[in-house]
Amino acid sequence: MAVFNQKSVSDMIKEFRKNWRALCNSERTTLCGADSMLLALQLSMAENNKQVQLLARKIIFSYLNLLVNSKNDLAVAYILNIPDRGLGREAFTDLKHAAREKQMSIFLVATSFIRTIELGGKGYAPPPSDPLRTHVKGLSNFINFIDKLDEILGEIPNPSIAGGQILSVIKMQLIKGQNSRDPFCKAIEEVAQDLDLRIKNIINSQEGVVALSTTDISPARPKSHAINHGTAYCGRDTVKALLVLLDEEAANAPTKNKAELLYDEENTIHHHGTSILTLFRSPTQVNNSIKPLRERICVSMQEKKIKRV
């Protein structure tokens, strides 16, 4: 937590220096009017809060993505260890190798592994040599939480209520045990509230379209969704609303900050989360002489600058 706060202050300082010249003609940044200093500080805080909100949105949307598409490996990469479940790069790599071997999605491999342990009995238990056995506790926590979301999806027929309940459960899982004044907790609260309202608006618009399209149909004609609505079709309307929400988010123009959510130092990700790009590489470095990608890029850029001079 201290590392995250330190990064927040560092980002705030960077934004202050970047915005200073737009606010004051003076080249000096140590002495200035109180109004200019306050305005620059407000801009810096706004930018920092925006980055925290982007992270919160990405996490919640990843849970929703996985809920409607169990083959979304990128969503699993984002939320496997958020909140902290002890599932770092090694656990993800073991899952990825098992998925490749069985030609299944990462989530389905994890689900199959946990179901076998919980329901299969000793005769069906994975062998001691299975690498996933060292991650049983964390994987069980992850799978059981997704099961809880699936239960809401399947048991609550009203899509508006189901969508709000799903967001509420995700929110409580993410802020559990955290300080309510923490910027990340506040961002999670705001994002969940905003998405709940968007889901309700989507459902209202869909119902309006259905009402217009059925005005000329005889009232004696049964609605298609009424058939078996309490069993196989329960949750279908909620999934449709979530898909519209996810499509709207996917259509948004990318921002410069979204790249930072993909790659960042591991110790600066909130709630002990792990960088996405570091998950997709081996947990152990075969050749220690190879420098990190970021360092190699910086060296290459410096060499180009020297050549230009």
Side-chain angles (χ1 to χ4, degrees):
M1 186 67 67
V3 175
F4 179 77
N5 290 335
Q6 184 179 4
K7 182 177 184 297
S8 299
V9 173
S10 176
D11 290 342
M12 195 178 299
I13 292 172
K14 289 179 182 178
E15 289 301 319
F16 169 76
R17 293 188 181 279
K18 184 169 66 176
N19 289 305
W20 171 250
R21 292 193 179 185
L23 303 171
C24 185
N25 294 327
S26 173
E27 293 292 331
R28 302 178 65 181
T29 59
T30 52
L31 296 174
C32 62
D35 291 341
S36 296
M37 284 289 290
L38 180 60
L39 182 56
L41 182 60
Q42 288 173 337
L43 288 172
S44 301
M45 293 177 67
E47 181 63 24
N48 185 63
N49 291 336
K50 179 182 176 183
Q51 292 179 7
V52 176
Q53 277 232 344
L54 283 172
L55 178 61
R57 287 178 67 84
K58 191 59 185 176
I59 293 170
I60 292 180
F61 269 106
S62 294
Y63 272 110
L64 297 179
N65 261 303
L66 184 60
L67 188 60
V68 300
N69 180 12
S70 62
K71 296 182 180 181
N72 193 327
D73 289 347
L74 187 57
V76 175
Y78 269 108
I79 59 178
L80 183 66
N81 201 37
I82 300 178
D84 187 8
R85 301 183 175 96
L87 300 173
R89 193 189 309 158
E90 183 179 352
F92 183 83
T93 303
D94 291 338
L95 280 170
K96 185 174 61 174
H97 290 168
R100 184 183 304 163
E101 180 182 343
K102 297 179 181 180
Q103 296 184 343
M104 297 167 62
S105 71
I106 293 175
F107 178 73
L108 291 180
V109 165
T111 303
S112 175
F113 176 76
I114 294 301
R115 294 286 186 270
T116 301
I117 291 179
E118 293 178 346
L119 306 174
K122 294 183 179 180
Y124 295 91
S129 59
D130 192 330
L132 296 182
R133 288 185 69 93
T134 59
H135 314 300
V136 170
K137 184 178 179 181
L139 290 175
S140 178
N141 178 287
F142 179 64
I143 297 302
N144 289 335
F145 178 68
I146 301 300
D147 284 345
K148 187 184 297 185
L149 300 180
D150 277 325
E151 287 176 7
I152 297 172
L153 193 64
E155 293 179 359
I156 301 179
N158 188 313
S160 182
I161 298 175
Q165 188 77 13
I166 288 169
L167 289 171
S168 178
V169 171
I170 294 174
K171 178 188 71 176
M172 295 308 298
Q173 176 78 355
L174 294 174
I175 66 176
K176 184 179 179 181
Q178 303 298 323
N179 190 332
S180 59
R181 292 179 294 181
D182 186 289
F184 181 77
C185 291
K186 291 182 179 179
I188 290 292
E189 291 270 6
E190 292 173 1
V191 171
Q193 185 177 2
D194 174 61
L195 296 185
D196 187 23
L197 181 60
R198 287 177 61 186
I199 288 175
K200 287 179 171 57
N201 290 336
I202 289 170
I203 293 168
N204 289 336
S205 64
Q206 289 178 340
E207 290 175 350
V209 171
V210 172
L212 288 173
S213 62
T214 57
T215 52
D216 296 330
I217 297 176
S218 171
R221 182 175 178 178
K223 296 180 180 179
S224 59
H225 69 78
I227 304 172
N228 205 23
H229 188 73
T231 54
Y233 284 90
C234 190
R236 184 188 64 172
D237 291 336
T238 306
V239 171
K240 287 168 62 178
L242 291 178
L243 286 173
V244 172
L245 179 68
L246 293 168
D247 287 345
E248 289 179 355
E249 180 67 13
N252 288 338
T255 65
K256 63 175 182 179
N257 294 320
K258 289 191 177 180
E260 296 173 3
L261 299 182
L262 277 173
Y263 186 85
D264 206 342
E265 297 296 334
E266 280 191 70
N267 58 357
T268 62
I269 300 295
H270 194 52
H271 288 265
H272 305 284
T274 310
S275 169
I276 297 302
L277 294 189
T278 60
L279 284 174
F280 283 92
R281 70 185 185 199
S282 174
T284 56
Q285 295 293 333
V286 178
N287 188 350
N288 293 328
S289 62
I290 300 177
K291 296 181 180 179
L293 176 61
R294 179 177 291 183
E295 185 177 340
R296 281 181 280 159
I297 292 175
C298 290
V299 172
S300 176
M301 292 176 64
Q302 289 175 357
E303 289 177 352
K304 290 180 179 180
K305 288 181 180 179
I306 295 173
K307 289 181 181 179
R308 290 175 183 174
V309 174

